Amino acid sequence: MPLRDAARAACLSRAFLHSWRCRPNLTLNRDVILSKEHAHGVDIRRIIDRILTNHSGTGLKVFKLCLYDDVANHCLDSWLQVAVTPTIEELTVVLCRSTFDRKYSFPCSVLSNGTGNSIRHLELDHCAFHPTAESGTFRNLASLNLRSVHITGDELECFLSNSLALERLDLGDCNKIVSLKIPCLLQNFTWLSAIGCWRLRVIESKAPNLSRLSFNGNVKLSLREPLKMKSISMHRSEVVCYARADLPSIMPNLEYLDICSADEVVNTPMSPTKFLHLKHLAVSFVSGSFSPSYDYLSLVSFLDASPSLETLVLMVFEQ
């Protein structure tokens, strides 16, 4: 039922009003709150204030705040203070570009004093996030998604060290991170993605069970258990040559390989080492930047090395 119709029904039924207020999942964005024909000139901040006042003390489990309006920092802080309670399991905060330009800092204090222990999924978009050792522990956090977030590598490492149940980390356009370190204590950690983090130079993972990795840029890898790697996606220069020459011996158990290159200096080499378990191979090129002497037919080396291959995808993108 649309929110406007629910509000009208609530005026007629106290039981319905109580039921609506006690719903554990709450998503707040302009499309949900306002119909397009009534959006102009309406103070969305006042509406959100009223909604959260009605839900105060109800024990939200899922709270999603996705705003593309310019909202004052103190409003965001007060909304999070109300919504984030010891029952919260999923928290999403997505802000607009203009708010991000003012470097809104997510208040880590709302996650302290045990509040963060219930969170299983945390997603932040277009804000600053500066956790410290005093921010508390996140013993149930399984998934962390940060996009266009101001956070340093040291701050992220500190946060990860207090999130021992973490299984998945997705980073996008987090350009304060130069070195990304995954602590050895993350026994359940299997998935890492770092896309568009253009200042990132080093990924060092001591997590024993990492098996899926995606990144772009010229990043140096240091993995504790490369033999456990099942899936890897790399977008960087000269990656085709590197993947064929080095990966079969470094990651012999790969089943999925996705590589994209904008610059190959030498042809794909022939090598006796093989991808014995590789089932899916995707090779992409950015046209216009390769040496005229590059021989695309040298890619047959991958076919010779992959006896278990089921899917092959070759793509060329225009620069």
Side-chain angles (χ1 to χ4, degrees):
M1 179 183 292
L3 187 63
R4 186 175 297 276
D5 293 339
R8 289 170 177 166
C11 295
L12 302 176
S13 171
R14 290 185 177 274
F16 185 88
L17 176 60
H18 176 75
S19 174
W20 176 71
R21 285 178 175 175
C22 293
R23 285 186 60 83
N25 302 344
L26 185 59
T27 297
L28 298 179
N29 61 54
R30 192 174 186 86
D31 292 335
V32 169
I33 295 173
L34 301 174
S35 60
K36 293 182 179 179
E37 62 269 22
H38 296 99
H40 182 71
V42 175
D43 188 351
I44 194 170
R45 292 170 294 183
R46 184 174 298 176
I47 296 176
I48 293 177
D49 281 338
R50 187 180 306 124
I51 291 173
L52 286 175
T53 297
N54 288 335
H55 281 78
S56 179
T58 60
L60 288 174
K61 291 186 177 180
V62 177
F63 180 63
K64 298 181 180 181
L65 180 66
C66 307
L67 292 182
Y68 301 94
D69 299 82
D70 200 6
V71 177
N73 290 356
H74 73 272
C75 291
L76 296 168
D77 286 348
S78 64
W79 294 340
L80 290 171
Q81 289 287 350
V82 173
V84 181
T85 67
T87 64
I88 196 77
E89 295 180 3
E90 183 176 338
L91 176 61
T92 299
V93 180
V94 178
L95 301 178
C96 69
R97 176 66 63 176
S98 59
T99 300
F100 177 60
D101 289 341
R102 295 206 312 272
K103 296 182 176 61
Y104 171 71
S105 184
F106 180 89
C108 295
S109 59
V110 301
L111 302 176
S112 61
N113 299 321
T115 303
N117 280 332
S118 61
I119 296 179
R120 291 189 49 80
H121 173 80
L122 176 61
E123 179 177 353
L124 302 178
D125 195 328
H126 285 98
C127 66
F129 185 45
H130 303 300
T132 65
E134 289 72 34
S135 298
T137 59
F138 306 87
R139 62 188 180 198
N140 288 306
L141 185 66
S143 174
L144 176 63
N145 190 328
L146 304 178
R147 299 196 177 277
S148 297
V149 169
H150 283 187
I151 185 172
T152 67
D154 290 341
E155 290 169 337
L156 181 56
E157 183 181 5
C158 176
F159 184 83
L160 296 180
S161 297
N162 291 316
S163 309
L164 301 186
L166 194 69
E167 300 172 6
R168 174 169 178 164
L169 173 61
D170 289 274
L171 302 174
D173 300 315
C174 295
N175 290 313
K176 293 288 186 179
I177 301 175
V178 178
S179 177
L180 174 58
K181 296 182 179 180
I182 309 298
C184 64
L185 296 175
L186 302 188
Q187 299 291 312
N188 299 324
F189 189 76
T190 61
W191 178 303
L192 172 60
S193 176
I195 303 299
C197 304
W198 299 115
R199 294 187 62 199
L200 183 62
R201 293 294 177 264
V202 177
I203 294 178
E204 179 182 347
S205 174
K206 296 181 180 180
N209 294 304
L210 179 64
S211 60
R212 298 176 64 90
L213 174 62
S214 300
F215 68 94
N216 56 3
N218 293 320
V219 177
K220 180 181 178 182
L221 292 179
S222 176
L223 306 179
R224 172 180 170 178
E225 296 287 352
L227 296 179
K228 292 187 177 181
M229 194 63 58
K230 299 291 185 180
S231 172
I232 189 166
S233 176
M234 299 184 294
H235 294 195
R236 53 183 282 187
S237 60
E238 301 180 34
V239 69
V240 176
C241 179
Y242 166 75
R244 179 61 189 96
D246 296 342
L247 284 190
S249 57
I250 299 174
M251 304 176 186
N253 296 312
L254 276 180
E255 298 177 0
Y256 180 99
L257 176 60
D258 180 2
I259 52 178
C260 179
S261 177
D263 182 24
E264 291 294 322
V265 178
V266 298
N267 294 334
T268 306
M270 297 298 294
S271 173
T273 56
K274 294 183 180 296
F275 294 104
L276 295 178
H277 304 282
L278 192 65
K279 296 180 179 179
H280 176 91
L281 173 64
V283 182
S284 305
F285 296 96
V286 179
S287 65
S289 59
F290 278 47
S291 168
S293 62
Y294 183 80
D295 183 7
Y296 288 90
L297 294 179
S298 64
L299 292 172
V300 73
S301 175
F302 280 100
L303 299 181
D304 291 339
S306 309
S308 301
L309 195 65
E310 298 174 359
T311 306
L312 173 64
V313 179
L314 298 177
M315 294 183 289
V316 178
F317 297 102
E318 295 294 333
Q319 191 174 30

